[in-house]
Amino acid sequence: MNADVRAKLTPAFEQFIDSGWYILGSAVSAFEQEYAAWSGTTHCIGVANGLDALVLSLKALNIGPGDEVIVPSNTYIASWLAVSYVGATPVPVEPHAATCNIDPTLIEAAITPATRAIMPVHLYGQCCEMQQIVDIATRHGLHIVEDNAQAQGATCNGRLTGSFGAVNGTSFYPGKNLGAYGDAGAVTTSDPALDKRVRMLRNYGSEKKYYNEEKGINSRLDELQAALLSAKLPYLQQWNHERVQIAAWYNEALAGIPGLRLPQVAEGCTHVYHIYMVRTERRDELQAWLAGKGIGTLIHYPVAPHMQQAYADLGYKKGDFPLAEEIAATCLSLPLYPGLSFEAVQEIASHIKDLFR
Ligand SMILES: *Cc1c(COP(=O)(O)O)cnc(C)c1O
């Protein structure tokens, strides 16, 4: 981390200790206002983590048992789990082969009379093709709930992720583009009624202490995490720019290697590269090769949600969502974080070229 940010975190931490107020105080309110403005929304509600942000968003829309929510077949399992936790059923739709985000042209075929919402996931940091998704939702009277855990700051036609849906969830898990120092998340909305509902639901269903209007949960953002997030938020734009620059270096250095697919960005969309994901049938071999050179890589994600043991009850089998399965079998995330140097990218790229040569 740069010394600049560290110099802001330390006083924020000391102020927090001295404040004597650790839950739902001025630091949370301040961060909520800052993050709402940053996201192009009017309201933000700080919650305990990204999964809760999605669960509370769905609950605020009264989505529950008997309802269906359209989700991508290619996503982190948390998107599906949020739908399951409110008692609704996730209905998977395959991704676009180029972007790996949900393919808008396949959504309508998955809509049934029980469908209540579409959950676009801006995976790896790329905004989904929201114009088409918004049009479909409007035509069918469906809600949009964005899973914006990976794409804070990405846009579609200039509009920010987290501002398209009626109510949307994001995560500040330490590894996300804006990371806390522990678990944290937020809901964004521009609807005052939904803001009020989520605010109540995250705090035991209570607006006035010890008076409970409904059965809520305890999912509050800590004062400490809020204070640290406020100190980091002014740097997020710059960090995203650095990520985009590093991705451009990779794109250039790795262009034209047969058998290696690089990330592709849809027209009108931007990508903030939470993850720089390449695809190759030689994935395991490439991962081991890079590990041998001291370069750590990750797989996001090795098993598609419909193939997870946790979703055995839905009865899907291998081959039901072939694109999601193919991505799970071929994806590899190369190192990418703000501060990664041009030279380091060149070195990683040259090792990759050596293997494919
Ligand atoms: C991280 C993540 C979540 C969940 O966030 P947590 O804060 O870890 O609960 C949800 N969806 C996606 C796509 C994520 O990457």
Side-chain angles (χ1 to χ4, degrees):
M1 181 198 315
N2 69 45
D4 228 29
V5 184
R6 202 166 202 294
K8 299 235 162 59
L9 292 172
T10 315
F13 183 69
E14 285 174 357
Q15 211 181 332
F16 156 77
I17 304 245
D18 294 339
S19 73
W21 192 280
Y22 307 119
I23 296 289
L24 296 187
S26 57
V28 168
S29 306
F31 176 71
E32 287 177 339
Q33 281 175 26
E34 291 156 15
Y35 191 74
W38 201 91
S39 310
T41 58
T42 54
H43 297 82
C44 164
I45 307 99
V47 299
N49 56 63
L51 175 61
D52 282 0
L54 296 172
V55 169
L56 294 175
S57 296
L58 294 166
K59 264 186 121 33
L61 295 168
N62 296 316
I63 292 171
D67 295 334
E68 292 177 359
V69 176
I70 291 176
V71 294
S73 58
N74 180 48
T75 183
Y76 180 51
I77 197 169
S79 321
W80 287 42
L81 289 176
V83 174
S84 301
Y85 279 160
V86 300
T89 304
V91 175
V93 166
E94 283 270 79
H96 198 284
T99 66
C100 301
N101 270 336
I102 192 165
D103 184 343
T105 66
L106 304 177
I107 291 177
E108 277 185 302
I111 295 174
T112 75
T115 310
R116 294 282 316 283
I118 304 169
M119 182 180 283
V121 183
H122 310 298
L123 205 62
Y124 319 123
Q126 177 171 185
C127 187
C128 293
E129 293 167 274
M130 290 308 297
Q131 195 52 59
Q132 288 97 306
I133 297 173
V134 168
D135 287 348
I136 293 164
T138 308
R139 219 163 33 242
H140 293 268
L142 304 175
H143 294 293
I144 289 175
V145 176
E146 293 166 74
D147 177 341
N148 190 29
Q150 301 191 354
Q152 296 135 359
T155 58
C156 177
N157 298 326
R159 187 164 163 187
L160 285 158
T161 55
S163 74
F164 291 93
V167 56
N168 312 294
T170 193
S171 165
F172 307 117
Y173 179 82
K176 308 292 190 195
N177 285 26
L178 179 62
Y181 292 84
D183 276 312
V187 171
T188 52
T189 179
S190 289
D191 180 333
L194 289 169
D195 170 68
K196 185 167 185 266
R197 185 90 191 276
V198 173
R199 227 165 257 293
M200 236 170 11
L201 286 168
R202 76 158 173 198
N203 191 27
Y204 297 117
S206 162
E207 199 178 0
K208 185 174 167 208
K209 204 166 185 173
Y210 305 130
Y211 292 81
N212 298 70
E213 274 129 278
E214 59 179 319
K215 299 181 193 77
I217 61 171
N218 174 0
S219 181
R220 300 173 300 220
L221 175 64
D222 289 3
E223 283 286 288
L224 173 59
Q225 297 304 338
L228 299 175
L229 285 166
S230 281
K232 287 179 83 176
L233 184 60
Y235 297 88
L236 179 52
Q237 184 104 17
Q238 175 195 323
W239 287 330
N240 280 348
H241 283 315
E242 284 186 46
R243 287 175 181 275
V244 170
Q245 174 66 73
I246 294 163
W249 292 335
Y250 272 126
N251 286 342
E252 200 185 332
L254 297 173
I257 298 178
L260 188 75
R261 291 181 79 157
L262 305 183
Q264 275 182 269
V265 183
E267 178 140 359
C269 299
T270 68
H271 196 322
V272 293
Y273 294 95
H274 173 58
I275 286 167
Y276 185 89
M277 191 268 270
V278 297
R279 280 185 283 166
T280 170
E281 278 168 20
R282 299 169 70 185
R283 189 264 310 277
D284 294 343
E285 189 190 351
L286 176 59
Q287 185 172 41
W289 171 262
L290 290 174
K293 314 286 176 201
I295 297 160
T297 57
L298 294 167
I299 295 172
H300 298 100
Y301 300 92
V303 181
H306 72 283
M307 295 305 291
Q308 296 279 4
Q309 180 76 42
Y311 278 105
D313 59 333
L314 292 183
Y316 292 121
K317 56 185 189 313
K318 198 168 160 55
D320 283 347
F321 299 98
L323 256 172
E325 291 164 29
E326 187 212 297
I327 293 165
T330 59
C331 67
L332 190 68
S333 306
L334 301 183
L336 192 158
Y337 48 87
L340 186 68
S341 71
F342 176 76
E343 292 70 27
V345 169
Q346 300 311 310
E347 195 198 321
I348 296 164
S350 81
H351 289 312
I352 295 172
K353 281 187 258 185
D354 284 346
L355 179 71
F356 280 86
R357 185 167 286 140

